[in-house]
């Protein structure tokens, strides 16, 4: 089991920001990454559809003998991880907006959260937000169109900068000193956000913490890879591979249909 791959999935390229941390912390592990871009953005799907896609991808990853699955998508985690754990026997690690560290560190008592509609409207997000956001004002903002624009290659564009300005300006005016990136696509926007936000605003994501959680689960369950050779990663897309190719070498990307 040790040398079996770790499955990682997202609605698109967003999960690659988490995969980057995973590969650097666990260099000997093998990974299979799926961008479910035929169905992106998940934020616009109904909770039922998000659960169906998550189950379908999980079944496919299990057929590839994955030993653990990382749900590298806040929207899929907050809507589907409970069901995935109930109905599959392998371990899952998910990602949720990093409200806890931001709430612990804020000096102004105001924290902004940028996430998809699917995440913000989920029960799990509200549970986390009320458990860890005690005494702190949480300003929620839907990052409407951000995933769609990143998936269509508009990461570096004037339009993107204007959209981010319009989403973050009201938070700044309300006194937020932390901005939680509640979607795995958004860390790719950090260079733009760093440029447009005032210096005192701290940008928070939890990719590093999730990678450490994966390491802990592998250790606890004795699932870690024993090989001393660097692991390999195979990338799959359910839609076209154009966006993925901006991040990964053409030889590594395979298009497939998982219906
Ligand atoms: N990367 C996904 C997330 O973390 C994007 C969801 C979407 O496709 O809308 O939420």
């Amino acid at each position: 089991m040790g040398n079996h791959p770790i499955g990682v999935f997202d609605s698109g390229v967003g999960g690659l920001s988490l995969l980057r941390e995973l590969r650097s912390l666990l260099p000997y592990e093998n990974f299979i990454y799926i961008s479910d871009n035929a169905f992106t953005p998940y934020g616009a799907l109904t909770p039922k559809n998000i659960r169906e896609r998550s189950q379908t991808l999980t079944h496919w990853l299990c057929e590839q003998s994955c030993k653990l699955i990382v749900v590298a998508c806040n929207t899929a985690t907050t809507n589907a991880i409970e069901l995935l754990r109930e109905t599959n026997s392998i371990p899952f690690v998910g990602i949720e907006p990093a409200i806890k560290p931001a709430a612990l560190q804020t000096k102004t008592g105001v924290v902004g959260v940028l996430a998809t509609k699917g995440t913000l409207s989920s029960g799990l997000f509200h549970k986390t937000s009320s458990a860890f956001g005690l005494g702190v004002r949480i300003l929620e903002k839907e990052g409407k169109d951000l995933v769609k624009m990143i998936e269509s290659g508009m990461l570096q564009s004037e339009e993107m900068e204007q959209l981010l300005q319009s989403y973050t300006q009201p938070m700044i005016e309300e006194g937020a000193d932390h901005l939680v990136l509640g979607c795995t696509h958004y860390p790719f926007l950090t260079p733009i956000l760093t440029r447009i936000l005032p210096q005192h605003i701290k940008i928070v994501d939890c990719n590093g913490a999730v990678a450490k959680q994966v390491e802990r689960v592998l250790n606890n369950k004795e699932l870690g890879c024993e090989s001393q050779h660097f692991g390999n990663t195979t990338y799959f897309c359910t839609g076209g591979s154009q966006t993925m190719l901006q991040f990964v070498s053409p030889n590594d990307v395979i298009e497939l249909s998982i219906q």
Side-chain angles (χ1 to χ4, degrees):
M1 196 73 165
N3 293 340
H4 288 197
I6 295 175
V8 182
F9 76 83
D10 178 42
S11 63
V13 292
L16 294 174
S17 67
L18 173 52
L19 181 67
R20 191 165 58 188
E21 300 283 342
L22 289 165
R23 292 183 62 191
S24 111
L25 185 68
L26 305 163
Y28 303 123
E29 295 291 342
N30 300 307
F31 292 94
I32 295 182
Y33 182 89
I34 310 179
S35 153
D36 194 20
N37 59 333
F39 293 85
T40 201
Y42 277 7
L45 300 183
T46 62
K48 181 170 173 277
N49 285 339
I50 297 167
R51 286 194 275 277
E52 280 165 7
R53 286 314 297 160
S54 301
Q55 280 285 32
T56 303
L57 300 177
T58 293
H59 291 158
W60 188 83
L61 287 168
C62 288
E63 280 166 17
Q64 318 308 309
S65 306
C66 286
K67 59 184 176 184
L68 178 148
I69 293 179
V70 180
V71 183
C73 172
N74 293 258
T75 313
T77 300
T78 50
N79 285 278
I81 203 160
E82 285 165 350
L83 175 74
L84 295 176
R85 287 188 174 129
E86 273 161 30
T87 49
N88 298 276
S89 56
I90 58 164
F92 288 86
V93 176
I95 184 161
E96 282 184 72
I99 293 190
K100 188 179 173 185
L104 287 172
Q105 286 162 24
T106 176
K107 293 206 166 59
T108 58
V110 186
V111 165
V113 181
L114 200 57
T116 69
K117 185 170 146 211
T119 295
L120 294 175
S121 59
S122 70
L124 193 56
F125 173 76
H126 283 117
K127 223 158 96 183
T128 311
S129 171
S130 31
F132 298 116
L134 274 183
V136 170
R137 256 181 86 211
I138 311 277
L139 307 176
E140 300 170 14
K141 181 70 193 164
E142 179 194 344
K144 196 166 182 318
D145 290 338
L146 296 180
V147 169
K148 208 162 77 187
M149 285 169 73
I150 295 171
E151 288 296 322
S152 52
M154 292 172 72
L155 184 57
Q156 307 286 347
S157 61
E158 182 66 22
E159 239 174 302
M160 178 65 91
E161 190 163 326
Q162 278 169 10
L163 209 52
L164 289 173
Q165 286 276 16
S166 74
Y167 293 161
T168 53
Q169 192 55 38
M171 296 177 180
I172 298 165
E173 282 163 17
E174 296 275 326
D177 62 354
H178 282 68
L179 173 64
V180 175
L181 303 183
C183 168
T184 51
H185 280 75
Y186 301 168
F188 294 125
L189 301 171
T190 301
I192 307 177
L193 286 166
T194 309
R195 199 170 63 240
I196 65 173
L197 288 175
Q199 265 187 356
H200 72 278
I201 309 248
K202 189 151 187 264
I203 301 168
V204 191
D205 74 61
C206 59
N207 283 346
V210 172
K212 289 212 179 79
Q213 176 62 8
V214 172
E215 184 182 43
R216 266 193 297 275
V217 174
L218 290 176
N219 289 341
N220 290 345
K221 297 197 178 288
E222 297 182 4
L223 284 175
C225 186
E226 282 141 29
S227 162
Q228 291 304 305
H229 299 286
F230 284 105
N232 57 54
T233 304
T234 322
Y235 301 85
F236 294 88
C237 308
T238 60
S241 54
Q242 218 178 342
T243 309
M244 185 78 113
L245 292 177
Q246 292 173 15
F247 296 84
V248 180
S249 132
N251 300 332
D252 296 332
V253 183
I254 302 161
E255 289 182 26
L256 89 165
S257 144
I258 309 175
Q259 297 304 331

